[in-house]
Amino acid sequence: MPRVVAWSCVVLFFCAGGVAAADPVAATRGKAALEGTAFIRAFWPSFGYAEAWRAWGVSEKPAGYDAAFRERYGLHPAPYPNDGLPMGLRKADYLFTKGIGIDCMVCHGGSILGKSIVGLGNTSLDIHSLFEELYAASRTPTRVPFAFCQARGTSEAGAFSVYLLGFREPDLTLTHKFRDLGLKDDACEDVPAWWLLKKKKTMYYVGATDARSVRSMMQFMMHPLTTRGDFERAEPAFRDVLQYLLSMEPPKYPFPVDAKKATAGKVVFGEHCAKCHGTYGERWTYPNKIVPLAEIGTDPKRYENIGPAFGAAYAESWFAKEKAGGWFLPGQPLKLTAGYQAPPLDGVWATAPYFHNGSVPTLDGVLNSRARPKVFTRSFGTGADDYDRERVGWKVREVSPPPATMSDIDRRRVYDTTRPGRGNAGHTYGDDLAPDERAAVIEYLKTL
Ligand code: HEC
Ligand code: HEC
């Protein structure tokens, strides 16, 4: 074992969190695999990209087409070679030629202060419009069978798995007898940052999957044309991808921080927050705490939507049959957890909006439930002008609930917290802080 790995294992063991330190050689391979491999076949022919504008209600192809395309769907420039496509789209096999598919970064490649970052959640994305308009441009109009996105910047990634597993036998061969495993499409999931995984014993918001599970991440490969053999051949690469995710570090807050205020905030954080979110710095601790739904009080849909029918089918499937655990915590088959996991807060300045459903646009709102906007929109740009340095998160504008006549793509630009899955209640732990204490905690959070 290289010395650097051995040493970081000691540190991690000492800190009593996380699964294991990343193997740097495998992590390098994993990065190359993630940025250079088409793990699934294309959904659209190549001309789908060039022709998408025909669905935009404009009379001619916009100038600066690549930028207009990214803006339309909420995609960002790829910070690695990607055949001229935005991050998240990828050249892949299509029938007997090449076409365009998606990859992990369509959701897990975000942007902050105008910089594309692999591993940051993409909070600009409207994946529903992307799918439907690219199908239309490809002259194969296809309705996505559920709402893939209810509010821009969130997606129904869980529903995607629930739907597609319904077409698979336990050994992942395709079946024509579709089983409804409890498909629901109103969880409005925000995408967690990948750099948090190394502190976690379990993955996903409810903490029901062992964080060492490689196959769990492969659910995304359930494209209708993916065969059992494809899954098996890709597993070694996914082992490396997991090592890459475990090696990631959060971006640093780039603006000045008031050190005195942050130090005061650290004390308040220690009293009010550390028991759930852990402590930070070289000798960090992280309790891996799942907070029961009734206690945390945030929106219940994500918790409820992925239920026993999917759990049972998953537990029988190839995904759950890997050595190091699988869908459920080792030794606890079919047992769902009690609520949501209190996430590590490393790099939290960059991961707005907050909570598992992205219902609160700033840290100030997280720490003061009375200050949370109810129905709001934002630019969905990620530049310095879009970023709220005072409240820490995205600048938003309160608006009226969207009328029924609004086009779907515009309606999804409005986040309406009165709608199912989008509730912004709960997590009231900052409500009783004095304003200067709250400001100090926010200053401290910038340093994590
Ligand atoms: C359609 C969007 C989407 C795509 C594509 C996608 N993910 Fe995710 N991913 C999510 C969302 C949303 C979550 C949170 C799920 C939850 O807990 O409910 C998530 C969670 C995860 C987690 C758990 C993180 C944690 O800290 O708990 C990992 C690891 C992960 N994804 C890896 C991948 C990999 C690898 C790929 C590509 C093979 C991928 N994802 C493709 C949206 C996506
Ligand atoms: C009883 C445990 C508990 C306490 C105490 C607590 N939190 Fe949380 N916190 C959670 C849970 C659970 C979530 C996830 C809720 C969800 O996503 O629905 C969360 C979410 C957050 C988030 C959003 C993270 C993200 O990326 O979306 C922030 C920021 C946060 N907490 C900060 C704090 C601060 C600061 C304090 C102290 C004032 C605090 N929390 C106290 C349990 C706790």
Side-chain angles (χ1 to χ4, degrees):
M1 187 188 270
R3 183 174 295 164
V4 53
V5 179
W7 171 240
S8 42
C9 287
V10 171
V11 173
L12 275 181
F13 180 70
F14 181 71
C15 298
V19 283
D23 165 354
V25 179
T28 306
R29 280 197 310 261
K31 179 177 192 299
L34 193 67
E35 295 178 357
T37 318
F39 286 110
I40 57 173
R41 288 177 180 72
F43 287 97
W44 311 287
S46 295
F47 67 81
Y49 178 83
E51 297 289 309
W53 65 272
R54 294 186 192 278
W56 302 354
V58 293
S59 55
E60 59 182 63
K61 189 168 180 172
Y65 185 67
D66 291 336
F69 185 97
R70 292 195 303 264
E71 161 106 25
R72 172 97 182 159
Y73 304 112
L75 295 167
H76 311 288
Y80 46 82
N82 200 35
D83 301 302
L85 294 169
M87 174 161 63
L89 296 190
R90 177 169 299 277
K91 212 166 162 179
D93 292 338
Y94 184 78
L95 303 175
F96 302 107
T97 166
K98 287 284 174 194
I100 295 174
I102 59 165
D103 61 31
C104 310
M105 277 74 83
V106 73
C107 298
H108 289 282
S111 170
I112 182 75
L113 302 175
K115 188 168 177 253
S116 298
I117 298 188
V118 172
L120 172 65
N122 183 1
T123 63
S124 307
L125 180 69
D126 182 340
I127 198 168
H128 195 89
S129 297
L130 177 76
F131 266 70
E132 290 208 329
E133 294 185 4
L134 283 188
Y135 275 127
S138 308
R139 295 179 215 122
T140 49
T142 304
R143 301 250 37 170
V144 181
F146 54 89
F148 207 166
C149 167
Q150 298 278 9
R152 196 175 183 111
T154 70
S155 74
E156 301 298 322
F160 189 66
S161 283
V162 173
Y163 178 68
L164 292 176
L165 192 63
F167 289 103
R168 300 272 173 174
E169 300 284 3
D171 69 357
L172 299 190
T173 52
L174 277 167
T175 162
H176 295 293
K177 281 190 293 186
F178 173 66
R179 288 179 298 163
D180 182 357
L181 301 174
L183 179 67
K184 293 191 194 79
D185 59 0
D186 55 7
C188 303
E189 296 186 71
D190 181 46
V191 181
W194 274 342
W195 59 77
L196 302 176
L197 192 61
K198 61 168 170 263
K199 284 191 172 176
K200 296 168 70 177
K201 290 202 168 105
T202 55
M203 55 170 93
Y204 304 130
Y205 287 121
V206 295
T209 306
D210 193 294
R212 290 163 298 181
S213 170
V214 170
R215 291 188 185 175
S216 169
M217 301 187 304
M218 297 179 72
Q219 291 177 74
F220 157 82
M221 280 184 67
M222 282 189 286
H223 180 289
L225 296 178
T226 307
T227 64
R228 164 69 184 255
D230 293 332
F231 283 103
E232 276 169 358
R233 276 185 294 278
E235 193 174 358
F238 272 86
R239 248 178 244 134
D240 292 341
V241 167
L242 181 60
Q243 293 304 307
Y244 174 47
L245 305 193
L246 295 176
S247 75
M248 286 183 161
E249 295 290 338
K252 292 246 175 306
Y253 186 72
F255 305 114
V257 173
D258 180 337
K260 218 173 124 200
K261 205 165 151 191
T263 307
K266 183 176 179 178
V267 176
V268 181
F269 188 90
E271 282 164 17
H272 295 267
C273 323
K275 65 172 187 238
C276 291
H277 291 289
T279 58
Y280 297 79
E282 236 163 79
R283 297 174 63 163
W284 56 268
T285 58
Y286 177 62
N288 276 285
K289 199 173 204 158
I290 311 276
V291 183
L293 209 54
E295 185 183 335
I296 189 73
T298 50
D299 192 281
K301 287 285 185 192
R302 163 61 187 88
Y303 180 84
E304 292 163 0
N305 281 11
I306 300 184
F310 177 75
Y314 190 98
E316 271 177 23
S317 77
W318 180 84
F319 292 122
K321 303 274 188 265
E322 64 186 303
K323 236 196 313 187
W327 175 241
F328 300 104
L329 294 172
Q332 300 185 344
L334 292 179
K335 186 162 177 233
L336 297 169
T337 67
Y340 295 122
Q341 178 155 356
L345 299 177
D346 305 86
V348 74
W349 72 270
T351 65
Y354 299 105
F355 296 151
H356 68 276
N357 60 356
S359 58
V360 177
T362 65
L363 287 177
D364 184 61
V366 169
L367 297 181
N368 183 1
S369 66
R370 293 168 299 250
R372 295 175 189 165
K374 219 169 150 183
V375 185
F376 55 92
T377 188
R378 60 186 166 101
S379 65
F380 296 94
T382 67
D385 290 346
D386 308 292
Y387 189 76
D388 185 335
R389 278 163 70 170
E390 194 191 322
R391 296 183 185 82
V392 183
W394 299 122
K395 283 182 187 162
V396 298
R397 194 161 49 83
E398 298 217 38
V399 293
S400 322
T405 50
M406 205 180 230
S407 71
D408 287 351
I409 192 166
D410 286 339
R411 187 177 43 76
R412 288 194 284 265
R413 297 178 77 93
V414 176
Y415 198 108
D416 182 346
T417 62
T418 66
R419 304 285 298 150
R422 275 159 271 180
N424 66 353
H427 194 287
T428 51
Y429 311 110
D431 283 12
D432 294 337
L433 296 176
D436 62 326
E437 286 179 315
R438 186 175 302 119
V441 171
I442 292 174
E443 204 65 13
Y444 173 62
L445 292 175
K446 293 176 184 170
T447 70
L448 305 184

